[in-house]
Amino acid sequence: MLLRTKSLIVFLCLLCLSSVALVRHLYMSRHATIAEWLPALKGHPVNPCPDNLDWLPNLDLTYPIRYARRDILVNPNPDRKRASITKVDASLFPDFQTIDLTDDPKIELQHCAEPLIFDVPAFAEGPSDASHLLFGISTTLRRLNQSIPQLLRWLPGTHAKLFVIVIESERVGATEGQEETPAVKADPKHKDELQSRMRGLGMDATLFDPLALQDIFSEKYFSMVKIIYDNRNEKTQWINLVDDDTFFPSMPALVSMLGKYDPREQHYIGGLSEDWWSVTKYGMMGFGGAGVFLSITLAEVLASNYRLCKESSHANAGDIRVMECIHLLTDTKLTSERNLHQVDLDGDLSGIYESGRLPLSLHHWKTKGNGGKGYNLPVMHLVSDVCGECFLQRWQFGKDTILSNGYSIAMYPNKKLKELHLMEMEATWSEPTVVDGSDNRGIDHSLTPTRPALRLDEEKFQYKLIDSAVVEGGVRQSYLHKGHAGDIDSLLELFWMENKKEVEAEGRLGVVGNKG
């Protein structure tokens, strides 16, 4: 009898556990895209309360300031996937403290908190293998040299090859009373020095003179197809034309995107402009700053008919010449990848950077947005050295704070956050040009769904990244909110580091995960 009773108890326990598992499975299946509240797990103490902030004087701050900081330990987990937003049932920062480091960087912090652990998708050791990709740029020596910081964020160690047409200066059209200024060939010594420098930094780069120095820029751009194709190897599957300010946040994501297509077929892949007016003016083409990707099979057709295409087109933009050549010789049409971003918008581009989406490419980051100053993507992207694909990933803390990693920390007063549809992109940018007779608002084809922009310093307080640095132990980020009407500035700092110690097995359930 006792044995039967024990067996019945065991059976009922197993039945309960199975029921819980089934309910959880059904719930997760129905709510796989909805972020859940997750408990915050405090990490192993690192140095949550440093007594010396000697890096702050380098940020050119006006003291006194309000200051708070937090350490974040990153725990790579192969079972996690990047989420649009992860909700954490904890505050991100302790209370502010007013500090003044005018005379001495040593400080006694009054409010300290132990590190949080973020469970993030595990990323591969070392760069992604992109040996089947060949990239091409047409630019000047000076601009190429200025582009090295951003190229260093995505190209080295990937085995992808970069071919660059370089000149000293571009040809300038004639103005009234003046003759046209011809293009100037790059100094061979300077060209060789720059190529050696790039290769020394881990970039498989080769610099070329133009096929014809007298070619206008659009012709040089189009000639990259022939130059790259003529320098292909047995691994080559894709020829990719980019601008010197095209930024790829994730080479693994780019390789994965192209992996959906068979390079033995004719494929023309790119991103449309976000601005509908630009699409209606220039056509359904891959806009060059977002990146133009040609399968090796299609590139062969263009390269074999290079002279015909060059003579048939009079377009003043290289990406238009590529489109015209494809339409002249084949029935291939553009396959648009919406996460390739031309960024043809002006004004405050926070909505794009705070959307939680991982862009495949970003263009115009040097000049568009932020009052024409652009955004320092190479610095913003440094945090990916610690947490892989977490660049621009979002975490919500408590009821009022969202971290858009590498761009901003936004605080929403008066319970405003719970009213927002966070899967919609905040339309912060300037209104695009309206196309006569079109019902398209200008971005319906590209960035929707959207929601109205909030009033800064009323409905949303935004701390924007002003600096990031790789230092011993991890990556430090500094986010600043400028004070108004006599109020002092406020600075929030995060220090990201890899979790070197294993989390206790029973504690893993409390790790800040990626759901939603």
Side-chain angles (χ1 to χ4, degrees):
M1 181 70 178
L2 181 60
L3 181 61
R4 281 206 306 257
T5 301
K6 288 184 176 179
S7 299
L8 180 60
I9 292 173
V10 170
F11 172 77
L12 290 174
C13 289
L14 290 174
L15 181 61
C16 290
L17 288 173
S18 299
S19 299
V20 170
L22 177 61
V23 170
R24 183 180 184 277
H25 173 74
L26 292 174
Y27 179 86
M28 292 300 292
S29 298
R30 294 180 57 194
H31 299 269
T33 60
I34 301 176
E36 296 179 56
W37 286 104
L38 298 166
L41 178 68
K42 294 180 180 180
H44 305 284
V46 180
N47 185 17
C49 213
D51 59 3
N52 193 321
L53 306 179
D54 56 1
W55 60 86
L56 286 185
N58 297 325
L59 299 183
D60 193 25
L61 302 170
T62 301
Y63 292 103
I65 61 170
R66 279 192 292 267
Y67 178 79
R69 70 179 303 278
R70 193 70 180 270
D71 292 336
I72 295 177
L73 299 178
V74 171
N75 185 50
N77 187 330
D79 296 328
R80 297 294 184 189
K81 294 183 179 180
R82 179 187 168 104
S84 173
I85 189 164
T86 299
K87 295 185 177 181
V88 183
D89 192 13
S91 297
L92 178 55
F93 290 99
D95 292 338
F96 277 110
Q97 176 179 342
T98 301
I99 63 173
D100 188 339
L101 305 184
T102 303
D103 299 319
D104 190 349
K106 292 184 178 180
I107 190 77
E108 182 178 346
L109 291 180
Q110 301 167 359
H111 310 294
C112 306
E114 290 186 359
L116 292 173
I117 290 181
F118 279 9
D119 215 14
V120 301
F123 52 99
E125 293 292 333
S128 178
D129 181 13
S131 55
H132 57 304
L133 308 185
L134 304 185
F135 291 88
I137 297 174
S138 178
T139 187
T140 64
L141 276 177
R142 182 179 64 85
R143 285 183 61 94
L144 179 60
N145 186 58
Q146 293 173 341
S147 299
I148 285 179
Q150 68 99 349
L151 291 171
L152 282 172
R153 295 306 307 160
W154 58 267
L155 184 60
T158 63
H159 304 294
K161 295 182 181 296
L162 174 65
F163 301 98
V164 190
I165 292 178
V166 288
I167 56 176
E168 198 70 40
S169 62
E170 263 301 348
R171 172 176 165 183
V172 180
T175 57
E176 186 175 353
Q178 295 181 331
E179 295 184 357
E180 182 177 276
T181 301
V184 179
K185 184 178 179 179
D187 182 286
K189 180 181 177 182
H190 294 163
K191 184 179 70 173
D192 290 345
E193 288 175 348
L194 184 53
Q195 177 176 283
S196 296
R197 181 186 172 205
M198 294 178 73
R199 290 182 176 179
L201 292 170
M203 292 180 270
D204 190 349
T206 304
L207 277 53
F208 291 86
D209 292 324
L211 293 182
L213 186 61
Q214 70 274 14
D215 283 350
I216 60 175
F217 178 79
S218 62
E219 292 172 321
K220 294 188 184 76
Y221 181 101
F222 178 71
S223 72
M224 286 303 313
V225 177
K226 178 171 175 55
I227 289 176
I228 299 175
Y229 183 78
D230 289 346
N231 286 274
R232 70 193 184 281
N233 58 37
E234 67 281 356
K235 292 184 177 181
T236 303
Q237 297 180 1
W238 296 95
I239 284 177
N240 315 318
L241 308 179
V242 300
D243 287 358
D244 56 21
D245 59 347
T246 301
F247 190 92
F248 295 107
S250 170
M251 184 63 82
L254 183 67
V255 169
S256 178
M257 180 274 287
L258 291 174
K260 299 185 301 183
Y261 305 97
D262 187 346
R264 295 170 297 183
E265 300 173 355
Q266 292 184 5
H267 287 294
Y268 168 38
I269 299 169
L272 294 172
S273 171
E274 295 82 2
D275 178 15
W276 183 241
W277 180 88
S278 296
V279 177
T280 59
K281 178 177 176 62
Y282 299 112
M284 296 290 290
M285 70 172 189
F287 281 69
V292 176
F293 303 85
L294 309 176
S295 65
I296 191 64
T297 307
L298 180 60
E300 179 182 12
V301 177
L302 273 59
S304 300
N305 294 275
Y306 169 72
R307 184 58 56 187
L308 172 63
C309 287
K310 181 179 179 182
E311 294 173 352
S312 299
S313 177
H314 301 285
N316 60 3
D319 46 11
I320 297 178
R321 285 179 177 263
V322 172
M323 176 188 66
E324 289 179 343
C325 184
I326 293 172
H327 291 173
L328 176 67
L329 300 172
T330 77
D331 61 0
T332 302
K333 298 298 182 285
L334 176 73
T335 298
S336 176
E337 286 282 350
R338 67 172 297 182
N339 288 324
L340 294 169
H341 285 291
Q342 174 73 7
V343 194
D344 277 339
L345 297 172
D346 293 304
D348 181 6
L349 302 184
S350 294
I352 294 176
Y353 290 103
E354 293 178 341
S355 67
R357 305 174 190 176
L358 177 64
L360 289 172
S361 66
L362 288 165
H363 183 229
H364 283 151
W365 52 272
K366 292 182 179 180
T367 56
K368 293 284 187 177
N370 195 25
K373 298 176 183 177
Y375 304 99
N376 194 340
L377 279 184
V379 171
M380 292 165 56
H381 190 256
L382 288 175
V383 70
S384 65
D385 286 0
V386 173
C387 55
E389 305 289 82
C390 69
F391 175 56
L392 299 182
Q393 189 172 347
R394 295 184 300 180
W395 284 269
Q396 177 181 336
F397 296 87
K399 306 295 184 182
D400 63 356
T401 302
I402 291 182
L403 164 68
S404 297
N405 193 11
Y407 182 77
S408 72
I409 297 169
M411 297 183 181
Y412 301 82
N414 304 320
K415 301 181 180 179
K416 184 68 180 178
L417 186 53
K418 71 176 182 179
E419 303 171 9
L420 301 180
H421 297 285
L422 295 176
M423 298 307 166
E424 298 175 346
M425 187 179 289
E426 185 181 357
T428 58
W429 47 84
S430 301
E431 288 292 328
T433 303
V434 176
V435 177
D436 291 339
S438 174
D439 292 329
N440 191 311
R441 294 175 300 160
I443 48 81
D444 289 343
H445 67 293
S446 56
L447 301 180
T448 51
T450 60
R451 53 186 165 87
L454 298 177
R455 295 187 301 274
L456 290 177
D457 296 328
E458 294 182 33
E459 300 173 301
K460 172 183 175 181
F461 289 83
Q462 189 181 51
Y463 294 73
K464 296 180 76 170
L465 187 85
I466 60 167
D467 189 61
S468 182
V470 177
V471 297
E472 183 178 359
V475 174
R476 180 184 296 114
Q477 296 175 327
S478 302
Y479 296 86
L480 181 70
H481 178 268
K482 299 289 290 185
H484 297 287
D487 195 11
I488 62 175
D489 299 344
S490 301
L491 187 75
L492 297 172
E493 289 204 323
L494 294 175
F495 191 81
W496 295 76
M497 67 199 88
E498 188 174 352
N499 185 19
K500 299 297 184 182
K501 299 182 180 180
E502 291 185 0
V503 181
E504 297 295 333
E506 62 271 19
R508 277 193 179 276
L509 294 176
V511 172
V512 177
N514 291 279
K515 301 228 180 135

